[in-house]
Amino acid sequence: LKLFWLSTRSRLPASEMGCGGSAPTPAQNSSAQQSHSETQQGSGTSQEATEQTTQQSRQLTSTASRNPACSSKDSTAEKVVVPRSFRLLEELERGQKAQRASHLSWGLERDDDMTLTQWNGTIFGPDDTSFDNRIFSLQITCGPDYPDVPPAVRFLSPVNMTCVGADGVVNPKWGIFGNWKRHHTMESVLEHLRREMNSGANRKLVQPTAARPGNA
């Protein structure tokens, strides 16, 4: 009998034996089965949660693709538009503090202009051109829709340029005016006019000596 018992014991797989080679007890078998069942249950719950999250994400993406106007409205709402008066006060302060190139200047025509509409500008002619050693005065009118639309600009000093009419008015379709952006300023306009003076089409043009009628 002892030899039969030893022979049977040696055939048992390790998984059916307890510690020290003894066979597992019924309690151990029950505990292992319960643990395996809980593991399968937890894995199933995690998989269900992942599938649910993926499905919700797809639904949101589908909704956004069907309603592009929603995301567009949200993006527009986040943009801050500076009011006209604030913008012009910033430009006035910049001009007063001389935060500009030395060959340009601008400021209010009248200090009591509460509408911030009428402005004066000055351009010092670029070197080695027919505008050299000349100072040009301009009138700048910032209407109620500025800076969404460009200002109206008129030379008070006589000047001969391809973008300026006989009355001194700058062509509203010229250069920066034809491609106007809200971030452009009066300084931008004056700087572009000075560059135009230095362009091949204007730098050698003969300039008038007499003052324009009606201006000093």
Side-chain angles (χ1 to χ4, degrees):
L1 289 176
K2 183 176 181 180
L3 290 175
F4 176 76
W5 179 83
L6 289 174
S7 176
T8 303
R9 183 176 180 275
S10 62
R11 292 176 192 160
L12 288 175
S15 60
E16 297 181 4
M17 300 177 66
C19 296
S22 59
T25 64
Q28 289 175 332
N29 285 332
S30 176
S31 177
Q33 291 175 356
Q34 182 178 358
S35 175
H36 179 68
S37 175
E38 291 176 353
T39 300
Q40 290 182 331
Q41 184 178 359
S43 176
T45 303
S46 177
Q47 184 175 1
E48 290 176 1
T50 302
E51 291 177 354
Q52 184 178 2
T53 302
T54 303
Q55 185 177 2
Q56 290 176 350
S57 177
R58 289 175 179 172
Q59 289 176 350
L60 291 175
T61 303
S62 176
T63 302
S65 63
R66 290 195 303 267
N67 300 281
C70 295
S71 57
S72 177
K73 289 180 180 179
D74 293 341
S75 177
T76 304
E78 292 176 358
K79 295 181 180 178
V80 178
V81 178
V82 179
R84 173 185 180 275
S85 57
F86 287 6
R87 167 66 178 273
L88 287 171
L89 287 174
E90 288 178 358
E91 294 194 47
L92 176 62
E93 183 179 6
R94 181 176 175 83
Q96 290 174 339
K97 291 183 176 181
Q99 296 177 354
R100 60 189 185 278
S102 60
H103 46 262
L104 303 174
S105 66
W106 65 94
L108 277 173
E109 185 176 289
R110 301 191 325 273
D111 293 338
D112 61 349
D113 182 5
M114 303 302 294
T115 64
L116 305 173
T117 301
Q118 298 298 333
W119 298 69
N120 287 326
T122 303
I123 299 176
F124 293 82
D127 298 338
D128 300 324
T129 67
S130 58
F131 306 93
D132 194 4
N133 294 321
R134 291 173 180 256
I135 300 176
F136 299 89
S137 299
L138 304 89
Q139 182 184 64
I140 305 172
T141 303
C142 297
D145 295 326
Y146 180 87
D148 293 311
V149 299
V153 180
R154 175 175 177 262
F155 275 85
L156 300 178
S157 304
V159 66
N160 183 16
M161 295 178 65
T162 56
C163 62
V164 180
D167 56 357
V169 175
V170 179
N171 186 342
K173 296 182 180 180
W174 157 79
I176 189 174
F177 288 166
N179 190 31
W180 184 259
K181 305 296 182 183
R182 201 176 196 277
H183 65 268
H184 289 152
T185 63
M186 285 180 279
E187 181 181 10
S188 303
V189 174
L190 295 173
E191 179 61 35
H192 277 72
L193 282 170
R194 193 172 189 274
R195 293 179 188 173
E196 190 68 27
M197 291 177 177
N198 204 23
S199 68
N202 292 291
R203 60 182 294 111
K204 297 302 182 182
L205 291 179
V206 178
Q207 296 303 310
T209 55
R212 183 175 294 108
N215 296 288

